[in-house]
Amino acid sequence: MAKSEMRATYLRTEYKINPFVDQLAPRLSWELTAVGYNQTQTAFQIVVSSSKEKLEQNIGDLWDSKKRLSNRSNQIKYEGTLLQEGQQVWWKVRVWNQDGQVGPWSEKATWEIAKLSKAAWQAKWIGKDLNQMVKRNGEYLLPPSPYLRKEAQIKKKLKHARLYISSLGLHNFYINGEKIGNDFFGSGWTDYNKRVYYQVYDVTAQLHKGANAFSATLANGWYAGYLGYALLVGSSQVNQFYGKFPLLKAQIDLTFTDGTNDTIVTDKSWKWNLGAIEEADLLQGEYYNAGKLLKGWNIADFNDTSWAHVDEIMDKDNQALELYPSEPVRVVKELPVKSIQRIEGGKYIVDFGQNFAGIIRLKQQGKKGDSLVFKYGEMLFPDGQLMTDNLRKARATDTYVFRGDGTLEAWNPSFTYHGFQYVEVTGLKEEPQADFLTGLVLSSDLHEVGDFRTDNDLLNKLYSNIVWTQRANYVDIPTDCPQRDERLGWTGDAQVYMRSAAFNYDIAAFHQKWIQDLNDAQFDNGAFPIYAPMPKNNKGIAAIRGADYFSPGWSEAGVICTYEIFKAYDDHEIVRKSLPYMLHYMEFLKNRTVNHIFPEGAFADIEPKGGFGDWLSVGEKTSPDLLATLYYFYCNKLLYEMCQKVGDLAYAEAFHLEMGLVRQNFIKHYLTLEDGRLHINTAAYGTGEGYVEGGNGFSGHTQTAYANTIYVGILPNELEAKAGKHLRDLVVENGNQLTTGFLGFKPLLPALSKTNSSDKAYGILLSEQYPSLGYEIINGATSIWERWDSYIKGEGFIHNAAMNSFSHYAFGSVNEWIFENLLGIKSLEPGFKKIQIKPEIDGKEIRHAEGTYRSIMGKICSAWHLDGINLRQKVEVPVNVTALCYIKTKKLKNVSVNGKPLTKEFISKYVTQTDGYFVLNLGSGNYEIRSKMER
Ligand code: BGC
C-alpha cells in the first residue's frame, strides 16, 4: 500500500483534549497535517481500545471503524461497544489522502466516561447554615465559609482514584492538604433548580495507604450570594436566589490493584468548623483572617473532636446532575504591578496597566492582627483617588488579616473576583515592594484561536482591547461586565458579540453550557429571557427584578447563539438539542406578529416598552419594532438553514415560507418602494413615554435600521443596493461617524462592506473622533467601554456613574468585520470546510494586515501587504479545505502564485471572475499571491 504523509493531530473528544465526558457516543475530531498542496482526506480509520497496550497493537476491541470513506474530520460519533461509567478508553486515527494513500497513525488520545446517572452517586449534599453567624454588621449579609473535613483509611494498594465533586455554591476541595485542581468557581452558575454540574479529577497521586484527609471550604457564590442589581433596585429579594447556604457533594471512587473498589463520600459523618474565610461573595469580596486558620485542619491526624457534624440535606436532589460542559475558570495570565502611588490618608494605589477581571495575589509580611483592605476600580479620579462610583452596590472589597508569625504570608481570594485595573490598598505601614501584589487574570480557560496584527497601532490596540474584554467577561457565563453589581449573562450582548468571540477563542464548549442556561431560562410561554441564567420566583417571574422578561434583539440569542455554534463548528447536536426551545420561541414570536411583522407599538406591553431597542445609540433612535421585525426575519432564516442541514425538512420549509411572508410585509409596511427609504409611523409612539429614550422620537431612516436590513438580507438585490446608498449617505451626513448602539453597531461595518462602502467601514473603524472605538483608545482605554463616551481625558466621567462600565464587550462586535472583511476569512458552509478569503484592502491608513484563525478544520491565515499598487497576499488553507481566494486586480497577467505566473490550464480550471475580482479556487497549502491593485 502506498504511503502518504497525511497525519491527524490535535485529537479531541467533545471539543476537549483527553477529557472526561458524559456522552456514551462522544464526538471526535482532529486536524490534519500534510506536505504539498491540494491535500484532502478521503477516508479515515478510528481505533478505540480498552487499554493503551491494545491501542499500540492496533487492536480496536471497543471500536474499529475500519477504512471508512469520508472526508469528515470532526463531529464523528463513537459507534463502538457500549461503554461503562468510569471506563477509560484510548483512541487514534489514520487517514487516506486524495490519492488513496494511507498516512501514519496519530498520537494516542483518551477519554473517560464520567458518571451518567444519579444512581452512581452515593454522596449526599452536606453543609451548614451559618447565616446566623455573620461577623460584621453592615449593608450586606455575608456569612462565613464553613470548613469541612473527614478522615478515611485506605487499606489496600490503590490502582486509581477519581474525585467527583459538585456544589450548590462554590467549593475548594483538598486531599491531604493539597488543593485539587487549579479551577475557580466550580460548579459554575446554572438554574440550580433544574441542573447542577459536577467536575471530575484524577486524584490517584494525592492519596496513599493509611489515613487520608478530605476537606473543603464553601461559599455562597451564585447559589446563595448577591446577584445582579437586586440591591440597587430595591428588590424584595437580594440574595439566596436558589438556596440559603452552600452545599457540597463529593465522592471519591477508589479502585485497588486487587480489582476491588471502595468509595468515600460526603455524608453526615463529616465535620465542620469556622476558619479563615469570614466573608465571601462574588460581588462583595472576601474577608480572610489568616490568624483564624486552624493549623493542620486539612491534613490527617488532626484532632477534630471539638468540630461539630455537618447537616445532610435531603431535599436538594430534584435537579439533573451533569458533567460541567465548559472549560473551568482558571488563572489564564499573571500581571505584574506597573506602578504604585501613595495617596492621601496613607493609602496606596496599585496600577496593573490593564483593565481585567480577576483577583490579586498578596505576598507580604505583617504583624498579627494587622490588616490590609483592597478596593478595586477601573479608573482613577483626576486627583489620583480610586473611582468606584460605577460599581454601584458591588462592595468589591477584600480584606486580609495577617497571621503575623514572622513569615512571608501569601494569599489570594478564591470565592470572589473583580473587574479592575487599580487597587487601593489601606493598611500598609510603609511603601511596599513592587511585587507585593500580582494580578491574577481569571477567565474560562478556552483555547486561543485568533491572532491579528497590522501596521496601524490604533487597530492593534483595538484588537488587544477586544480580546481583553472577552477574557474579562467569559467567566463561566458570558457577562455584560465584570465589575459592577450586574455581571449577568445579558442575551443581547452575547448574541451581538458571539461571532466575534469565536474568532478569538474556541467557544464551542463554553457556549454549549450557556446555551443550556439560556434554554433552561426560557419562560413557560416560550419567550427567551433578557439574561441567563435568570433566577425566578415560584410564579416564574424574574427574582432579581420582576420586570426583567424579554426584549427583541436580546431574546433572539436563543436562536442566534445556537446558530453561531452550528455555523462555526458544523455542530448539529446543539441544533437538535435547542430545537424544541427555538420552536417554542418562534411560536411565541409568531403569535405576536400582525401580518407576519411587528408594526409600531407591537411591544408596548413589555418593560421598557419596545424592549431595549438599539441600546446606547447616540443621536437618532431607531424604531424598536422595525428592528424586532428584522430580528424575526433573521431567526426564520437561521432556523431555515439549521433545519435544512440537520434534516428537519418540514420545519425548514415552514421557516422558509414565513421568511417570504415577513419579507413581503416588511417591504409593504416599512419601505417606500420608489426610493428604498425605510419609514415608520412616528405617531404610533405618541410622546414615546415608557420607551428607552422615547422622548427623542423614533425613525426608520437610521444607520441602525439600514445596517440591520442589509445584514439580515431581507431585501431583494435592487432594494438592498438602495438601502446601501441610504446607509452610506447617513454615515456621510453624520461626518463619517456612527450613530449606532448595541444592535446597530454589529451589522454596521458588514452592511457597509456588503453594499460597496468598505471605505466608510474603514473610516468608522479607524476614527479617533467621538463616537468611535478609536476615541476610547486615545482616551486611554485598555478594554472596550459600555458607552461611546464613558470618559474623556481631561474632562473625566461625563455620564451617570451607575451605567458606566469600562469592560463591556458588546461594541467589540466589530471583531467580526475585522476577521470576515478586513482579513476576509469567511466560512462558506458550516464548519469552515469551504471558505472564502476575500480581504477588503484599504491601502490608505493600513498597508499591511495579517491574521490567523484556527478553525475546527485547522489553521487559516490571511495576510496582505500593499506597496504602491503592488499587492502581496498570503493565504494558508488547511488540509481538507478549499478556499475561494479573491484577488482585486484588473489583469490576470499580473497575477503570480508562489512566484509563477498562472498557466492557461490553471486559469481555465481554477479561476473565475466576479465584481472586479479574480477568484482562485485553491486547495490546501501556503500561497503567496502577487498582483497589482490598480484603482
Ligand atoms: C447591561 C447591558 C444590557 C442592558 C440591557 C445593562 O445594564 O449592562 O449590557 O444589555 O442592561 O439593556
Side-chain angles (χ1 to χ4, degrees), residues 72-140:
R72 272 214 159 272
S73 55
N74 56 61
Q75 310 295 353
I76 297 163
K77 280 196 174 196
Y78 169 75
E79 289 174 20
T81 315
L82 185 67
L83 302 175
Q84 307 296 319
E85 280 175 348
Q87 186 171 0
Q88 187 179 13
V89 307
W90 280 262
W91 71 287
K92 62 183 178 182
V93 59
R94 61 176 177 171
V95 298
W96 281 258
N97 70 4
Q98 61 288 341
D99 304 319
Q101 297 163 328
V102 68
W105 285 105
S106 69
E107 298 282 322
K108 298 187 263 298
T110 85
W111 77 82
E112 181 172 322
I113 303 288
K115 297 211 178 294
L116 300 172
S117 73
K118 280 197 184 160
W121 287 85
Q122 290 145 48
K124 301 287 188 291
W125 289 115
I126 60 166
K128 188 71 203 170
D129 185 352
L130 301 181
N131 283 306
Q132 304 313 317
M133 304 193 79
V134 173
K135 284 250 170 110
R136 267 158 288 281
N137 285 325
E139 209 179 349
Y140 308 103

Coordinates of all heavy atoms in Angstrom, one line a residue, residues 72-140:
R72 N -14.8 13.7 6.4 CA -15.1 14.3 7.7 C -13.9 14.2 8.7 O -13.3 13.1 8.8 CB -16.3 13.6 8.4 CG -17.6 14.2 8.0 CD -18.6 14.2 9.2 NE -19.6 15.2 8.9 CZ -19.5 16.4 9.3 NH1 -18.5 16.9 10.0 NH2 -20.5 17.3 9.0
S73 N -13.6 15.2 9.4 CA -12.6 15.2 10.4 C -13.1 15.7 11.7 O -12.3 15.9 12.6 CB -11.3 15.9 9.9 OG -11.7 17.3 9.6
N74 N -14.4 16.0 11.8 CA -14.9 16.4 13.1 C -16.4 16.0 13.2 O -17.0 15.6 12.2 CB -14.8 17.9 13.3 CG -15.4 18.7 12.1 OD1 -16.6 18.6 11.9 ND2 -14.6 19.4 11.4
Q75 N -16.9 16.1 14.4 CA -18.3 15.7 14.7 C -18.6 14.2 14.3 O -19.6 13.8 13.8 CB -19.3 16.6 13.9 CG -19.1 18.1 14.0 CD -19.3 18.6 15.4 OE1 -19.7 17.8 16.3 NE2 -18.9 19.8 15.7
I76 N -17.6 13.4 14.5 CA -17.7 11.9 14.2 C -18.0 11.2 15.5 O -17.2 11.2 16.5 CB -16.4 11.4 13.6 CG1 -16.2 12.1 12.3 CG2 -16.5 9.9 13.4 CD1 -14.8 12.0 11.7
K77 N -19.2 10.6 15.5 CA -19.6 10.0 16.8 C -19.0 8.6 17.0 O -18.9 7.8 16.0 CB -21.1 9.8 16.8 CG -21.9 11.0 17.1 CD -23.3 10.7 17.4 CE -24.0 12.0 17.9 NZ -25.2 11.8 18.6
Y78 N -18.6 8.3 18.2 CA -18.2 7.0 18.6 C -19.3 6.0 18.3 O -20.4 6.2 18.7 CB -17.8 7.0 20.0 CG -17.5 5.6 20.6 CD1 -16.4 4.9 20.3 CD2 -18.5 5.0 21.5 CE1 -16.2 3.7 20.9 CE2 -18.3 3.8 22.0 CZ -17.1 3.1 21.7 OH -16.9 1.9 22.3
E79 N -19.0 4.9 17.7 CA -20.0 3.9 17.3 C -19.7 2.5 17.9 O -20.3 1.5 17.4 CB -20.1 3.8 15.8 CG -20.7 5.0 15.1 CD -20.7 4.9 13.6 OE1 -20.6 3.7 13.1 OE2 -20.8 5.9 12.9
G80 N -18.8 2.5 18.8 CA -18.4 1.1 19.3 C -19.2 0.5 20.4 O -20.3 0.9 20.6
T81 N -18.6 -0.4 21.1 CA -19.2 -1.1 22.2 C -19.7 -0.2 23.2 O -19.1 0.9 23.5 CB -18.2 -2.1 22.8 OG1 -17.5 -2.7 21.8 CG2 -18.8 -3.1 23.8
L82 N -20.8 -0.5 23.9 CA -21.4 0.3 24.9 C -20.3 0.5 26.1 O -19.8 -0.5 26.6 CB -22.6 -0.3 25.5 CG -23.4 0.5 26.5 CD1 -24.0 1.7 25.9 CD2 -24.5 -0.4 27.2
L83 N -20.1 1.7 26.4 CA -19.0 2.0 27.4 C -19.7 2.1 28.8 O -20.9 2.4 28.9 CB -18.3 3.3 27.1 CG -17.6 3.2 25.7 CD1 -16.9 4.6 25.4 CD2 -16.5 2.1 25.7
Q84 N -18.9 1.9 29.8 CA -19.4 1.9 31.2 C -18.9 3.1 31.9 O -17.9 3.7 31.6 CB -18.8 0.7 32.0 CG -19.1 -0.7 31.3 CD -20.5 -1.0 31.2 OE1 -21.3 -0.7 32.1 NE2 -20.9 -1.5 30.0
E85 N -19.6 3.5 32.9 CA -19.2 4.6 33.8 C -17.8 4.3 34.3 O -17.5 3.2 34.7 CB -20.1 4.8 35.0 CG -21.4 5.5 34.6 CD -22.4 5.6 35.7 OE1 -22.2 4.9 36.7 OE2 -23.3 6.4 35.6
G86 N -16.9 5.3 34.3 CA -15.6 5.1 34.9 C -14.6 4.5 33.9 O -13.5 4.3 34.2
Q87 N -15.1 4.1 32.7 CA -14.3 3.4 31.8 C -13.4 4.4 31.0 O -13.9 5.4 30.5 CB -15.1 2.6 30.8 CG -14.3 1.7 29.9 CD -15.1 0.8 29.0 OE1 -16.4 0.8 29.1 NE2 -14.5 0.0 28.2
Q88 N -12.1 4.1 31.0 CA -11.2 5.0 30.2 C -10.9 4.3 28.9 O -10.6 3.1 28.9 CB -9.9 5.3 31.0 CG -9.1 6.3 30.2 CD -7.8 6.6 31.0 OE1 -7.4 5.9 31.9 NE2 -7.1 7.7 30.6
V89 N -10.9 5.0 27.8 CA -10.6 4.4 26.5 C -9.5 5.1 25.8 O -9.3 6.3 26.1 CB -11.8 4.3 25.6 CG1 -13.0 3.7 26.3 CG2 -12.2 5.7 25.1
W90 N -8.8 4.5 24.9 CA -7.7 5.1 24.2 C -8.0 5.1 22.7 O -8.7 4.1 22.2 CB -6.4 4.3 24.4 CG -5.7 4.7 25.7 CD1 -4.7 5.6 25.8 CD2 -6.0 4.2 27.0 NE1 -4.3 5.7 27.2 CE2 -5.1 4.9 27.9 CE3 -6.9 3.3 27.5 CZ2 -5.1 4.6 29.3 CZ3 -6.9 3.1 28.9 CH2 -6.0 3.7 29.7
W91 N -7.7 6.1 22.0 CA -8.0 6.1 20.6 C -7.0 6.7 19.7 O -6.1 7.5 20.2 CB -9.4 6.7 20.3 CG -9.5 8.2 20.5 CD1 -9.5 8.9 21.6 CD2 -9.7 9.2 19.4 NE1 -9.7 10.2 21.4 CE2 -9.8 10.4 20.1 CE3 -9.8 9.1 18.0 CZ2 -10.0 11.6 19.3 CZ3 -9.9 10.3 17.3 CH2 -10.1 11.5 18.0
K92 N -7.0 6.4 18.5 CA -6.1 7.0 17.5 C -6.8 6.9 16.1 O -7.8 6.3 16.0 CB -4.7 6.4 17.5 CG -4.7 5.0 17.1 CD -3.3 4.4 17.2 CE -3.2 2.9 16.8 NZ -1.9 2.4 17.0
V93 N -6.2 7.6 15.2 CA -6.9 7.7 13.9 C -5.8 7.8 12.8 O -4.7 8.3 13.0 CB -7.9 8.8 13.8 CG1 -7.2 10.2 14.0 CG2 -8.6 8.9 12.5
R94 N -6.1 7.2 11.6 CA -5.2 7.5 10.5 C -6.1 7.8 9.3 O -7.3 7.4 9.3 CB -4.3 6.3 10.2 CG -5.0 5.0 9.8 CD -4.0 3.9 9.5 NE -4.7 2.7 9.2 CZ -4.1 1.6 8.7 NH1 -2.8 1.6 8.4 NH2 -4.8 0.5 8.5
V95 N -5.5 8.5 8.3 CA -6.4 8.9 7.2 C -5.7 8.6 5.8 O -4.5 8.4 5.7 CB -6.6 10.5 7.3 CG1 -7.3 10.8 8.6 CG2 -5.3 11.2 7.2
W96 N -6.6 8.5 4.8 CA -6.2 8.3 3.5 C -6.3 9.7 2.7 O -7.2 10.4 3.0 CB -7.1 7.3 2.8 CG -6.7 5.9 3.1 CD1 -6.0 5.0 2.4 CD2 -7.1 5.2 4.4 NE1 -5.9 3.8 3.0 CE2 -6.6 3.9 4.3 CE3 -7.8 5.5 5.5 CZ2 -6.7 2.9 5.3 CZ3 -7.9 4.6 6.5 CH2 -7.4 3.3 6.4
N97 N -5.3 9.9 1.8 CA -5.3 11.2 1.1 C -6.1 11.0 -0.2 O -6.7 10.0 -0.5 CB -3.9 11.7 0.9 CG -3.1 10.9 0.0 OD1 -3.6 9.9 -0.6 ND2 -1.8 11.2 -0.2
Q98 N -6.0 12.1 -1.0 CA -6.7 12.2 -2.3 C -6.3 11.1 -3.3 O -7.0 10.7 -4.2 CB -6.6 13.6 -2.9 CG -5.2 14.0 -3.3 CD -4.3 14.3 -2.0 OE1 -4.8 14.6 -0.9 NE2 -3.0 14.3 -2.2
D99 N -5.1 10.6 -3.1 CA -4.6 9.5 -4.0 C -4.8 8.1 -3.4 O -4.3 7.1 -3.9 CB -3.1 9.7 -4.3 CG -2.8 11.1 -4.8 OD1 -3.6 11.6 -5.7 OD2 -1.8 11.7 -4.4
G100 N -5.6 8.1 -2.4 CA -5.9 6.8 -1.8 C -4.7 6.2 -1.0 O -4.7 5.0 -0.7
Q101 N -3.8 7.0 -0.6 CA -2.6 6.5 0.2 C -2.9 6.8 1.6 O -3.4 7.8 2.0 CB -1.4 7.3 -0.3 CG -1.0 7.1 -1.7 CD 0.0 8.1 -2.2 OE1 0.0 9.3 -1.7 NE2 0.9 7.7 -3.1
V102 N -2.5 5.8 2.4 CA -2.7 5.9 3.9 C -1.6 6.6 4.6 O -0.4 6.4 4.2 CB -3.0 4.5 4.5 CG1 -1.8 3.6 4.5 CG2 -3.6 4.7 5.9
G103 N -1.9 7.4 5.6 CA -0.8 8.1 6.3 C -0.6 7.3 7.6 O -1.2 6.3 7.9
P104 N 0.4 7.8 8.5 CA 0.7 7.2 9.7 C -0.4 7.4 10.8 O -1.2 8.3 10.7 CB 2.0 7.9 10.1 CG 1.9 9.3 9.5 CD 1.2 9.1 8.2
W105 N -0.3 6.5 11.8 CA -1.3 6.7 12.9 C -1.0 7.9 13.6 O 0.2 8.4 13.7 CB -1.2 5.5 13.8 CG -1.8 4.2 13.3 CD1 -1.1 3.1 12.8 CD2 -3.2 3.9 13.2 NE1 -2.0 2.2 12.4 CE2 -3.3 2.6 12.7 CE3 -4.3 4.6 13.6 CZ2 -4.5 2.0 12.5 CZ3 -5.6 4.0 13.4 CH2 -5.7 2.7 12.8
S106 N -2.0 8.5 14.2 CA -1.9 9.7 15.0 C -1.3 9.3 16.4 O -1.2 8.1 16.7 CB -3.2 10.3 15.3 OG -4.0 9.5 16.1
E107 N -1.0 10.3 17.2 CA -0.6 10.0 18.6 C -1.9 9.5 19.3 O -3.0 9.6 18.8 CB -0.2 11.3 19.3 CG 1.0 12.0 18.7 CD 2.3 11.4 19.2 OE1 2.3 11.0 20.3 OE2 3.2 11.3 18.3
K108 N -1.7 8.9 20.5 CA -2.8 8.4 21.3 C -3.6 9.5 21.9 O -3.0 10.6 22.3 CB -2.3 7.5 22.4 CG -1.5 6.3 22.0 CD -1.2 5.5 23.2 CE 0.1 5.7 23.8 NZ 1.3 5.4 22.9
A109 N -4.9 9.3 22.1 CA -5.7 10.2 22.9 C -6.6 9.4 23.7 O -6.8 8.2 23.5 CB -6.4 11.2 22.0
T110 N -7.2 10.0 24.7 CA -8.1 9.2 25.6 C -9.4 10.0 25.9 O -9.4 11.2 25.8 CB -7.5 8.8 26.9 OG1 -7.7 9.8 27.9 CG2 -6.0 8.5 26.8
W111 N -10.4 9.3 26.3 CA -11.5 9.9 27.1 C -11.9 8.9 28.2 O -11.6 7.8 28.1 CB -12.6 10.4 26.2 CG -13.6 9.3 25.7 CD1 -14.6 8.8 26.4 CD2 -13.6 8.7 24.4 NE1 -15.3 7.9 25.6 CE2 -14.7 7.8 24.4 CE3 -12.8 8.8 23.2 CZ2 -15.0 7.1 23.2 CZ3 -13.1 8.1 22.1 CH2 -14.2 7.2 22.1
E112 N -12.6 9.5 29.1 CA -13.1 8.6 30.2 C -14.6 9.0 30.5 O -14.9 10.1 30.5 CB -12.3 8.8 31.5 CG -12.7 7.9 32.6 CD -11.8 8.0 33.8 OE1 -10.5 8.0 33.6 OE2 -12.3 7.9 35.0
I113 N -15.4 7.9 30.6 CA -16.8 8.2 30.9 C -17.0 8.5 32.4 O -16.6 7.8 33.3 CB -17.6 6.9 30.6 CG1 -17.4 6.5 29.1 CG2 -19.1 7.1 30.8 CD1 -18.0 7.4 28.1
A114 N -17.6 9.6 32.6 CA -17.8 10.1 34.0 C -19.2 9.5 34.5 O -19.6 8.5 33.9 CB -17.9 11.6 34.0
K115 N -19.7 10.1 35.5 CA -21.0 9.5 36.0 C -22.2 9.9 35.0 O -22.3 11.0 34.6 CB -21.3 10.0 37.4 CG -20.2 9.6 38.4 CD -20.7 9.4 39.7 CE -19.6 8.9 40.7 NZ -19.1 7.5 40.4
L116 N -23.0 8.9 34.8 CA -24.0 9.1 33.8 C -25.4 9.3 34.4 O -26.3 9.8 33.8 CB -24.1 7.9 32.8 CG -22.8 7.6 32.0 CD1 -22.9 6.3 31.3 CD2 -22.6 8.8 31.1
S117 N -25.5 8.8 35.7 CA -26.8 9.0 36.3 C -26.7 9.2 37.8 O -25.6 9.0 38.4 CB -27.7 7.7 36.1 OG -27.2 6.7 36.9
K118 N -27.7 9.6 38.4 CA -27.7 9.9 39.8 C -27.5 8.6 40.6 O -26.9 8.6 41.7 CB -29.0 10.5 40.3 CG -29.0 12.0 40.0 CD -30.1 12.7 40.8 CE -30.1 14.1 40.4 NZ -31.4 14.7 40.8
A119 N -27.9 7.5 40.0 CA -27.7 6.2 40.7 C -26.3 5.9 41.1 O -26.0 5.2 42.0 CB -28.3 5.1 39.9
A120 N -25.4 6.6 40.3 CA -23.9 6.3 40.5 C -23.4 7.1 41.7 O -22.2 7.0 42.0 CB -23.2 6.6 39.3
W121 N -24.2 8.0 42.2 CA -23.8 8.9 43.3 C -24.3 8.3 44.7 O -25.5 8.1 44.9 CB -24.4 10.3 43.2 CG -23.7 11.0 42.1 CD1 -24.0 11.0 40.7 CD2 -22.6 12.0 42.2 NE1 -23.2 11.9 40.0 CE2 -22.4 12.5 40.9 CE3 -21.9 12.5 43.3 CZ2 -21.4 13.5 40.7 CZ3 -20.9 13.4 43.1 CH2 -20.7 13.9 41.8
Q122 N -23.4 8.0 45.6 CA -23.8 7.7 46.9 C -23.6 8.9 47.8 O -24.1 9.0 49.0 CB -22.9 6.6 47.5 CG -23.3 5.2 46.8 CD -22.0 4.4 46.6 OE1 -21.3 4.2 47.6 NE2 -21.8 3.9 45.4
A123 N -22.8 9.9 47.4 CA -22.6 11.1 48.2 C -23.8 11.9 48.4 O -24.7 11.9 47.6 CB -21.6 12.0 47.5
K124 N -23.9 12.5 49.6 CA -25.0 13.4 50.0 C -24.7 14.8 49.9 O -23.5 15.2 50.1 CB -25.5 13.0 51.4 CG -25.9 11.5 51.5 CD -27.2 11.3 50.9 CE -27.8 9.9 51.2 NZ -27.0 8.8 50.6
W125 N -25.6 15.7 49.8 CA -25.4 17.1 49.9 C -25.2 17.4 51.4 O -26.0 17.1 52.2 CB -26.6 17.9 49.4 CG -26.8 17.9 48.0 CD1 -27.9 17.4 47.3 CD2 -26.0 18.5 47.0 NE1 -27.8 17.6 45.9 CE2 -26.6 18.3 45.7 CE3 -24.7 19.2 47.0 CZ2 -26.0 18.7 44.5 CZ3 -24.2 19.6 45.8 CH2 -24.8 19.4 44.6
I126 N -24.0 18.0 51.7 CA -23.8 18.4 53.1 C -23.4 19.9 53.2 O -23.0 20.5 52.2 CB -22.6 17.6 53.7 CG1 -21.3 17.8 53.0 CG2 -23.0 16.1 53.8 CD1 -20.1 17.3 53.7
G127 N -23.6 20.5 54.4 CA -23.3 21.9 54.6 C -23.7 22.3 56.0 O -24.1 21.5 56.8
K128 N -23.6 23.6 56.2 CA -24.0 24.1 57.5 C -24.6 25.6 57.3 O -23.9 26.4 56.6 CB -22.8 24.2 58.4 CG -23.1 24.5 59.8 CD -23.9 23.4 60.5 CE -24.7 23.9 61.7 NZ -25.6 22.8 62.2
D129 N -25.7 25.8 57.8 CA -26.3 27.2 57.7 C -25.6 28.1 58.6 O -25.8 27.9 59.9 CB -27.8 27.1 57.9 CG -28.5 28.4 57.7 OD1 -27.8 29.4 57.5 OD2 -29.7 28.5 57.8
L130 N -24.8 29.0 58.1 CA -24.1 29.9 59.0 C -24.6 31.3 58.9 O -23.9 32.3 59.3 CB -22.6 29.9 58.7 CG -21.9 28.5 58.8 CD1 -20.4 28.6 58.5 CD2 -22.0 27.9 60.2
N131 N -25.8 31.5 58.4 CA -26.4 32.8 58.3 C -26.6 33.6 59.6 O -26.6 34.8 59.6 CB -27.7 32.8 57.5 CG -27.5 32.5 56.0 OD1 -26.7 33.3 55.4 ND2 -28.1 31.5 55.5
Q132 N -26.6 32.8 60.7 CA -26.8 33.5 62.0 C -25.4 33.9 62.5 O -25.3 34.5 63.6 CB -27.4 32.5 63.0 CG -28.8 32.0 62.6 CD -29.7 33.1 62.1 OE1 -29.8 34.1 62.6 NE2 -30.3 32.8 60.9
M133 N -24.3 33.6 61.8 CA -23.0 33.8 62.4 C -22.3 35.0 61.7 O -21.1 35.0 61.7 CB -22.1 32.6 62.3 CG -22.8 31.4 63.0 SD -21.7 30.0 63.2 CE -20.8 30.6 64.6
V134 N -23.1 35.9 61.1 CA -22.5 37.0 60.4 C -21.7 37.8 61.4 O -22.2 38.2 62.4 CB -23.6 37.8 59.7 CG1 -23.0 39.1 59.1 CG2 -24.2 37.0 58.7
K135 N -20.4 38.1 61.0 CA -19.5 38.8 62.0 C -19.6 40.3 62.0 O -19.8 40.9 63.0 CB -18.0 38.4 61.6 CG -17.6 37.0 62.0 CD -16.6 37.1 63.1 CE -16.4 35.7 63.7 NZ -15.1 35.2 63.4
R136 N -19.5 40.8 60.8 CA -19.5 42.3 60.6 C -20.9 42.7 60.2 O -21.3 42.3 59.1 CB -18.5 42.7 59.6 CG -17.1 43.0 60.2 CD -16.0 42.8 59.2 NE -15.9 41.4 58.9 CZ -15.2 40.6 59.6 NH1 -14.6 41.1 60.7 NH2 -15.1 39.3 59.3
N137 N -21.5 43.5 60.9 CA -22.8 44.0 60.5 C -22.6 45.2 59.6 O -21.8 46.0 59.7 CB -23.7 44.4 61.7 CG -24.2 43.2 62.4 OD1 -24.5 42.2 61.8 ND2 -24.2 43.3 63.7
G138 N -23.4 45.2 58.6 CA -23.2 46.3 57.6 C -24.4 46.1 56.6 O -25.4 45.6 57.0
E139 N -24.1 46.6 55.4 CA -25.2 46.6 54.4 C -25.5 45.2 53.9 O -26.5 44.9 53.5 CB -24.7 47.5 53.3 CG -25.8 48.1 52.5 CD -25.2 49.0 51.4 OE1 -24.0 49.3 51.4 OE2 -26.1 49.4 50.6
Y140 N -24.5 44.3 54.0 CA -24.6 43.1 53.4 C -24.7 41.9 54.4 O -24.0 42.0 55.5 CB -23.4 42.8 52.5 CG -23.2 43.9 51.5 CD1 -22.1 44.8 51.7 CD2 -24.0 44.1 50.4 CE1 -21.9 45.9 50.8 CE2 -23.7 45.1 49.5 CZ -22.7 46.0 49.7 OH -22.4 47.1 48.8

